[in-house]
Amino acid sequence: MLTGEDALIAAEEVCAATGARVRDLSALVAAAAVPGTRIGGIPVHRDRAEARAALAEAVARLQPLTGGNDALARVLDRIAFG
């Protein structure tokens, strides 16, 4: 499971590599929550592929960094899905 702390560590690494900075911490944590979201114990996403796509879309829409969000999405994907 991807945590907000995992996402912040990943974001700091991406920022160090790209010169970006965290623009919105809440957006970063919200994006991290997407792939593992459950309602009443039932997963929101049908399968791994749908969860991966939703994570990428969340990062793209929320833009938690001032730059390098594509790189962040790839790193978060690796953390969440291996």
Side-chain angles (χ1 to χ4, degrees):
M1 177 184 298
L2 183 62
T3 67
E5 290 84 5
D6 293 333
L8 180 57
I9 291 166
E12 288 172 343
E13 299 263 338
V14 170
C15 288
T18 64
R21 62 182 174 76
V22 176
R23 182 187 67 77
D24 187 336
L25 188 56
S26 295
L28 180 63
V29 173
V34 168
T37 300
R38 294 176 173 265
I39 296 177
I42 299 169
V44 171
H45 306 291
R46 282 180 291 217
D47 56 31
R48 184 177 175 105
E50 187 175 292
R52 290 177 90 169
L55 173 59
E57 182 177 346
V59 174
R61 287 184 181 214
L62 295 171
Q63 298 286 302
L65 306 182
T66 58
N69 286 292
D70 291 341
L72 176 63
R74 290 190 300 274
V75 172
L76 293 179
D77 182 87
R78 282 197 307 267
I79 294 168
F81 302 104

